[in-house]
Amino acid sequence: MELKEVVLLMCVLAVSANSILNKEATDNIAAVETVNSTSIISTVDSVSTEPTVTLDNTTSNQSPSMSVVSKQLENKLYNFIVARKFDEAVENTISLYGAGGCNIIERVIERLFDEGQSIVFDYSYKVSISRAAYIVSRCFPAVIRIHESLVFAKLINKRDGYALTYSNRVESDGDRRALGDHNTKTRMGIEWSLVAHSSGDRLHYKMRPLRMAMFLKLGNSTDEDGDHTAYISHDDSTNRHLWTIQPVRHNGELLFYIINREFDKLLKFGQSTEHDGYRIAYGHSTKDFNPDKFSWYIKVM
């Protein structure tokens, strides 16, 4: 291990011995190879377990290896997040950052990405609205900072390579259809602001195109395929205007599902081109987690 990392972890231990390392870990020091116990994680996105490091078989005057300490610190933060203990997660994040542990925070975020945990966005938001917002700008990737007022994004569907935009044509009720544009280089019309909407400890987004004070929603009715047509509207007061973003790793790429809160449907584009070469956006008839068909790139501007 590099000297820098050794010094980092020693500092973390000194600064946050009480809040980071639990009593069981400090009372039962084990060899680095021993990984026996299982920590419980949240079932918000999926039911799973994550191995945690246990330490034993060494004398009381010995210290665990730095790699074990690093993993234990990582597990501590991870477990707070997936259990939705955000107050503890924020305090833990502050302690880690204060000791120079940005790399540990980054590893936890990557772990949540790898597991497809949408809670990574909740975590980013909770740290942002705390007294530790500066940590988000320094340790968090831009893609989970999309709730920030000056962070904008293009939403590009993986299967089609089309960017989310909207029609210039106004419907009879004042709404505009949400469309897919094959021109993903256009500066205006395909850039979106994702406005955080927190209800309790659950985070959703309202999605607003930069040039319009309107918000993405799904229509109430379904077509013959069972899909809901997507629109932008001036109203933003219903669950049809709220969206969850869920990460997915696929063939080495970080992608995202965009899921409507009201209907629990995945955002997609139709396969036929209409409206002057554009594709119509829909909420898919079933919740089919197929990344080749229904995942999106979030390109932060």
Side-chain angles (χ1 to χ4, degrees):
M1 176 178 290
E2 295 181 357
L3 177 60
K4 181 180 178 181
E5 186 176 358
V6 173
V7 172
L8 161 64
L9 293 174
M10 291 178 68
C11 290
V12 173
L13 284 173
V15 172
S16 48
N18 291 326
S19 62
I20 306 298
L21 296 178
N22 58 37
K23 186 175 185 301
E24 181 182 352
T26 56
D27 290 344
N28 300 282
I29 302 175
V32 61
E33 295 83 6
T34 305
V35 182
N36 294 324
S37 66
T38 303
S39 63
I40 304 301
I41 71 170
S42 168
T43 57
V44 172
D45 297 308
S46 62
V47 178
S48 58
T49 58
E50 179 63 26
T52 58
V53 179
T54 60
L55 306 173
D56 53 32
N57 299 328
T58 61
T59 60
S60 59
N61 62 351
Q62 290 178 310
S63 298
S65 73
M66 291 300 102
S67 61
V68 171
V69 172
S70 177
K71 186 63 177 178
Q72 199 158 19
L73 294 171
E74 176 189 323
N75 286 342
K76 187 72 171 182
L77 176 57
Y78 170 89
N79 288 333
F80 278 143
I81 295 169
V82 297
R84 308 195 77 87
K85 295 181 178 180
F86 290 118
D87 289 343
E88 293 89 339
V90 169
E91 290 302 319
N92 198 325
T93 300
I94 293 170
S95 295
L96 285 172
Y97 181 80
C102 194
N103 64 325
I104 295 175
I105 298 168
E106 291 167 348
R107 288 205 306 270
V108 170
I109 291 170
E110 288 301 311
R111 184 168 162 185
L112 294 168
F113 281 151
D114 290 342
E115 295 175 355
Q117 298 261 21
S118 62
I119 202 171
V120 69
F121 290 94
D122 301 69
Y123 168 54
S124 176
Y125 177 72
K126 292 294 185 180
V127 178
S128 290
I129 63 174
S130 75
R131 67 183 191 277
Y134 59 93
I135 299 176
V136 176
S137 64
R138 297 171 186 175
C139 298
F140 287 46
V143 74
I144 58 170
R145 295 169 50 205
I146 51 177
H147 58 271
E148 296 179 7
S149 59
L150 296 179
V151 177
F152 311 117
K154 296 178 182 180
L155 307 173
I156 302 173
N157 184 263
K158 176 176 174 54
R159 174 175 61 179
D160 308 296
Y162 279 53
L164 185 67
T165 186
Y166 53 89
S167 175
N168 292 323
R169 193 177 311 163
V170 180
E171 306 281 320
S172 59
D173 56 3
D175 292 347
R176 299 168 185 250
R177 286 199 176 190
L179 303 173
D181 187 350
H182 72 280
N183 181 3
T184 62
K185 304 299 183 183
T186 304
R187 288 292 298 174
M188 302 301 290
I190 62 171
E191 293 181 349
W192 295 76
S193 174
L194 282 78
V195 182
H197 178 84
S198 182
S199 177
D201 65 350
R202 307 288 169 160
L203 183 69
H204 298 87
Y205 293 96
K206 297 179 181 181
M207 298 169 56
R208 172 185 172 177
L210 291 190
R211 293 196 300 176
M212 304 291 293
M214 303 177 78
F215 298 86
L216 184 70
K217 71 172 185 179
L218 291 184
N220 274 313
S221 60
T222 58
D223 60 18
E224 63 275 11
D225 298 318
D227 294 340
H228 292 261
T229 303
Y231 301 89
I232 59 171
S233 68
H234 290 288
D235 180 31
D236 67 342
S237 61
T238 74
N239 285 341
R240 294 184 291 127
H241 294 84
L242 296 179
W243 303 83
T244 300
I245 299 178
Q246 181 174 329
V248 55
R249 291 276 194 197
H250 182 60
N251 294 333
E253 293 184 303
L254 180 60
L255 303 162
F256 301 89
Y257 297 115
I258 302 173
I259 307 167
N260 186 259
R261 180 178 182 182
E262 176 71 15
F263 300 113
D264 207 25
K265 300 290 182 66
L266 298 171
L267 188 66
K268 70 169 186 179
F269 290 133
Q271 291 302 283
S272 60
T273 54
E274 304 179 41
H275 289 260
D276 303 320
Y278 293 93
R279 295 189 177 185
I280 298 175
Y282 297 95
H284 188 56
S285 57
T286 60
K287 197 173 180 181
D288 181 1
F289 288 106
N290 183 333
D292 286 316
K293 292 182 179 180
F294 303 118
S295 65
W296 297 73
Y297 297 101
I298 298 180
K299 303 291 187 182
V300 175
M301 306 305 296

